[in-house]
Amino acid sequence: MTTQDDLLPVGLEDALPARARAITTAKRAMLDAMDSHGYDRVRPPLVEFEHSLAGRMDGVATRRMVRFTDPESLRTLALRSDMTVQVGRIAATGMASAPRPLRLCYAGDIALLSADQLDPARQRLQVGAELIGTDSVAAASEMVSVAIAALKAAGVANISVDFTLPDLVDTLAEDTLPLDAERRAAVRRELDTKDAGGLRDAGGEAYLPLLYATGPFDQAIDTLAEIDVDGALGSRITGLREIAATIGDRARVTLDPTERHGFEYQSWFGFTLYGEGARGALGRGGTYTIKGSDEPATGFSLYMDPLLDALGGPEADEREILFLPLGHDRDVGARLRAIGWRTVAAVSDSDDARALGCSHVLDGTEPKPL
C-alpha cells in the first residue's frame, strides 16, 4: 500500500529490475567501448564544495545545483550537476603530472535542483569521456568517433551527429560582422531560436544568412563557406570538414553552426548526438578549457534516459533460470552458475519455482525443464 510518505519528489523515480538491468547493460557496454580506446575510468564524489563545482568551467550555473551547508567546514556543498567539471578538477590536481594527452572516462548520477521543460528528470545517469591537454582537429575527431563507438556498443541504431560552432558570433563580431558586447548576447539568443524577426530587432540583420547554413553537412558547410567572405571562419570550416570525413558512413552528419543550447562552456567546436527512436539528444560534446589550469580539452557526455528510448525501452528478461531446491548440492549450483546458469535457491518448502519465474529445476546434478 502506497502512502503519502512513500511518494518520491517530482523528477525522481525508482528504476525497477527491467529498467535497472537495461541501464547497467548499456552503461557497461559504453564504458567497455571507451576503455578499448584507451580511456581510464575515474570515480569522483557525488558531493563537492560548491565553489569547486562552479569554478572549473564557464557557464556552470550554481542555481541549478542542490546545495547545503557542510556541518564540518561550514562551507556550502553541492550535489554535482555535471561530471565533466569534476574530471577537469581531477586532471588539474590529482593527475596534473600525468602524461598528456590524458584520456579519462566516467559514469555516475548527477542531480538538478529543478527540472527543465525539455527533460523533467532531476536525477540523471551521465556517461562520458574527456581528452585533456590538447585542442586539435585530431582530438575532436577522436572524441566524435569514441562517442559513436560507445552508442553503437550500447545498441543504438542510425546515429546522427550535428556539428556546431559555439564561438561563432564572437568570432564574426570582432571584424567580419561587428557587434558591440551588449548586442552579442541578444544576437546569440535569436540565432539559437532561429528567429529571423528577433534577429533583425536585436541588430543582427547581417547574421541572417547563418540561419540558412544548416542541414545535411556537405550542403550546409558549403553555404557557410560562401558566407565567410573574408576567411574569418576558414580554419573552423576546414576543421569541420576533416572531422566529418573521419566519420564516414558510421553516422549521418549535419550542421547547425548557430546552435548554442547545451554548449555553454564549449569553445570552437561542439556536437550533438541523436539516434533512431530517441525523443531528444543522446548526448553532447565539444572543445573547452579547464579553468585554473587553463588546459584545453575535448569531451562528450551521454545520457541514459533518451538512450533507453533509442533502444526501445527495457526488455523482458528471457534468460533461463534454474530453481535450486532446499538441500541441493552447493558445489553443483556453483558449477552451473560458472557455465552461465542464473539460479534461484529455495529458502523454504513453500517456494514455488514457477511463481519465482524459473524455467528449470535442479534434479540431482542436472537442470530439468519445468
Side-chain angles (χ1 to χ4, degrees):
M1 177 180 178
T2 301
T3 68
Q4 189 71 23
D5 292 338
D6 295 320
L7 298 177
L8 291 172
V10 173
L12 302 178
E13 64 178 6
D14 295 314
L16 299 182
R19 185 175 181 83
R21 183 174 59 253
I23 289 171
T24 301
T25 299
K27 180 180 73 172
R28 185 182 297 122
M30 290 189 289
L31 287 172
D32 286 347
M34 296 174 200
D35 180 80
S36 72
H37 284 83
Y39 286 77
D40 294 317
R41 186 175 179 183
V42 291
R43 188 172 178 268
L46 178 64
V47 179
E48 288 196 34
F49 290 118
E50 176 194 28
H51 179 75
S52 176
L53 288 172
R56 289 288 175 185
M57 306 290 178
D58 289 323
V60 177
T62 58
R63 67 180 181 277
R64 299 194 69 196
M65 297 180 186
V66 179
R67 292 170 288 173
F68 51 96
T69 301
D70 179 14
E72 295 292 331
S73 66
L74 300 183
R75 295 173 60 187
T76 302
L77 300 178
L79 297 179
R80 63 190 179 205
S81 60
D82 183 354
M83 292 185 71
T84 305
V85 297
Q86 295 184 293
V87 177
R89 175 186 54 75
I90 289 171
T93 55
M95 301 192 73
S97 61
R100 264 47 176 179
L102 181 63
R103 290 174 170 85
L104 301 175
C105 65
Y106 59 85
D109 287 310
I110 62 172
L112 302 174
L113 183 62
S114 59
D116 57 47
Q117 293 180 343
L118 298 178
D119 188 346
R122 294 164 60 195
Q123 178 179 342
R124 305 170 188 174
L125 177 61
Q126 182 180 0
V127 182
E130 312 295 329
L131 180 56
I132 298 164
T134 182
D135 182 5
S136 65
V137 170
S141 297
E142 178 172 320
M143 278 289 90
V144 175
S145 291
V146 173
I148 292 171
L151 291 176
K152 285 184 175 293
V156 178
N158 296 327
I159 298 168
S160 64
V161 186
D162 188 40
F163 291 170
T164 189
L165 295 171
D167 69 350
L168 178 64
V169 172
D170 288 333
T171 301
L172 294 176
E174 289 298 323
D175 294 303
T176 305
L177 301 174
L179 275 179
D180 56 50
E182 295 180 357
R183 287 191 296 164
R184 289 185 190 184
V187 168
R188 287 193 204 98
R189 183 181 62 251
E190 301 305 333
L191 282 171
D192 202 17
T193 58
K194 309 297 185 287
D195 186 344
L199 191 57
R200 291 191 184 92
D201 294 341
E205 187 169 357
Y207 287 76
L208 282 171
L210 293 173
L211 296 178
Y212 303 98
T214 62
F217 181 79
D218 290 339
Q219 177 182 340
I221 197 69
D222 287 343
T223 301
L224 185 62
E226 292 171 2
I227 296 170
D228 185 36
V229 292
D230 66 352
L233 302 176
S235 62
R236 288 167 173 75
I237 291 172
T238 299
L240 292 181
R241 292 187 192 276
E242 292 179 14
I243 297 167
T246 65
I247 295 175
D249 60 1
R250 292 177 296 154
R252 176 175 176 263
V253 182
T254 58
L255 175 66
D256 185 352
T258 65
E259 175 66 37
R260 284 279 299 176
H261 179 74
F263 296 99
E264 288 77 14
Y265 55 73
Q266 267 76 22
S267 54
W268 72 272
F269 173 64
F271 62 97
T272 305
L273 298 150
Y274 298 94
E276 183 180 6
R279 289 173 292 177
L282 296 173
R284 290 185 174 86
T287 57
Y288 61 95
T289 300
I290 301 171
K291 291 174 67 176
S293 64
D294 294 326
E295 271 197 293
T298 310
F300 65 84
S301 296
L302 307 174
Y303 294 96
M304 190 58 63
D305 286 341
L307 190 146
L308 290 184
D309 290 339
L311 297 179
E315 297 180 356
D317 190 353
E318 297 181 353
R319 291 176 295 174
E320 293 182 325
I321 302 175
L322 175 63
F323 182 76
L324 305 177
L326 283 176
H328 69 275
D329 188 322
R330 295 185 180 277
D331 290 337
V332 171
R335 174 180 64 81
L336 292 169
R337 282 190 293 273
I339 63 173
W341 281 95
R342 187 185 191 206
T343 65
V344 170
V347 294
S348 74
D349 288 329
S350 62
D351 286 352
D352 186 320
R354 292 186 186 278
L356 292 173
C358 297
S359 59
H360 292 69
V361 63
L362 183 64
D363 184 7
T365 62
E366 297 298 327
K368 177 182 177 182
L370 285 172

